[in-house]
Amino acid sequence: MEPIIAGNWKMNMGPGESRELVIKLLQLVSDVQNREIIVIPPFTSLPGVAEVLCNTKIKLGAQNMHWERGGAYTGEISGLFLKSLGCEYVIIGHSERRHIMLEPDEWLNRKLKTALDIGLISIFCVGETAQEREQGMTQQVIERQLNQGLRGIENEVHKMIIAYEPVWAIGSGKTATPKSAAEVHKFIRSKLKKPVTILYGGSVKPENVDALMQEEEIDGVLVGGASLKPESFARIIKFESKR
Ligand code: PGA
């Protein structure tokens, strides 16, 4: 399987900036092979980016969706709309959705089910907070997130991607050491019924990606801040591994 490098732009990059970023990125990675590259712009930038990416090797994803296909849900976005724009992936349960927008596990479970039904590949995020880690609860928290998020779809987990994103590492400049990330990935794998792709996320940068990707347990990375500059994201995509 090709390593997956996904760039989550969060609430950055309006339509014009997004197009510029992806045009530059395409130039920088024109020689790259054997990598699955995904960009995940904000909703309003998706149409413009989709146009630029048409027939290229970079895939498109969205940052969130609603579990219903349509209806009276003011301010929400249907997964069907995302698909019609050419999105193949959707992030579900990013820690900023869990902790700032207070999305409960039960909602994430519904979203994961809908994504499966309509044929979007979920990037399902799990991860512990700093406090939970200090209290030795990392495994317990992740097990709960997996059990509740995947309830009823345990046998279809191979159709999704899991992203391990320790909350304390996101946007903080602190990265999990490759060994400790690999340990959690191993734990996640042990709890799932099918073989699954697991990405690491949390302050991934050009400086640490090579060491992270050295770990066999790490199938790819989900990158926030460092995906906003074409040069740094391209360097991450071109990570060097002796694996
Ligand atoms: P970061 O964000 O790389 O800026 O830490 C990662 C993420 O939230 O997906």
Side-chain angles (χ1 to χ4, degrees):
M1 198 208 65
E2 291 179 341
I4 296 178
I5 313 294
N8 169 18
W9 298 354
K10 308 194 178 186
M11 199 171 75
N12 298 294
M13 301 285 155
E17 294 164 304
S18 288
R19 280 177 69 103
E20 275 172 37
L21 174 52
V22 91
I23 288 168
K24 191 81 204 289
L25 186 63
L26 277 171
Q27 290 164 358
L28 292 171
V29 300
S30 60
D31 56 337
V32 173
Q33 279 171 358
N34 309 324
R35 301 277 194 271
E36 174 88 345
I37 308 168
I38 309 168
V39 293
I40 311 177
F43 290 133
T44 47
S45 296
L46 287 171
V49 171
E51 209 177 281
V52 177
L53 292 186
C54 191
N55 296 323
T56 71
K57 61 177 145 200
I58 303 183
K59 306 280 172 63
L60 192 61
Q63 299 176 15
N64 183 28
M65 62 172 234
H66 196 265
W67 60 81
E68 291 292 345
R69 288 164 166 75
Y73 299 96
T74 302
E76 292 293 329
I77 295 288
S78 160
L80 293 176
F81 305 162
L82 303 175
K83 273 206 86 172
S84 72
L85 284 176
C87 287
E88 292 176 57
Y89 297 88
V90 61
I91 298 179
I92 303 289
H94 188 278
S95 78
E96 286 144 23
R97 303 292 319 168
R98 290 178 183 268
H99 296 282
I100 305 172
M101 311 313 284
L102 305 181
E103 291 195 13
D105 292 301
E106 199 247 329
W107 287 13
L108 307 180
N109 178 244
R110 292 195 209 182
K111 293 180 184 203
L112 290 169
K113 285 179 174 162
T114 306
L116 274 172
D117 280 351
I118 65 177
L120 278 169
I121 301 172
S122 295
I123 302 177
F124 177 42
C125 301
V126 296
E128 80 288 1
T129 63
Q131 200 187 12
E132 288 162 345
R133 173 159 278 248
E134 277 156 27
Q135 292 169 349
M137 286 167 58
T138 300
Q139 293 195 348
Q140 199 181 320
V141 168
I142 288 174
E143 195 167 353
R144 189 208 77 225
Q145 292 171 336
L146 291 172
N147 285 343
Q148 299 193 6
L150 299 172
R151 182 163 294 158
I153 44 174
E154 298 86 351
N155 288 320
E156 294 185 84
V157 70
H158 57 294
K159 298 177 192 161
M160 311 171 196
I161 294 170
I162 307 276
Y164 168 54
E165 296 210 305
V167 181
W168 49 269
I170 296 177
S172 63
K174 292 184 209 150
T175 326
T177 63
K179 287 270 167 292
S180 75
E183 248 168 57
V184 179
H185 283 214
K186 202 166 179 179
F187 172 75
I188 293 172
R189 253 182 251 284
S190 75
K191 294 290 152 196
L192 300 175
K193 296 202 167 160
K194 299 266 170 85
V196 70
T197 300
I198 309 179
L199 312 182
Y200 167 78
S203 295
V204 175
K205 299 177 271 230
E207 299 78 40
N208 58 26
V209 66
D210 298 346
L212 285 163
M213 290 307 298
Q214 207 78 311
E215 294 292 332
E216 261 179 47
E217 284 287 339
I218 301 180
D219 300 316
V221 285
L222 179 55
V223 187
S227 69
L228 298 174
K229 294 249 160 50
E231 294 78 12
S232 67
F233 193 45
R235 169 62 185 86
I236 291 171
I237 292 165
K238 296 179 187 179
F239 73 85
E240 287 162 25
S241 163
K242 292 179 210 88
R243 223 160 95 177

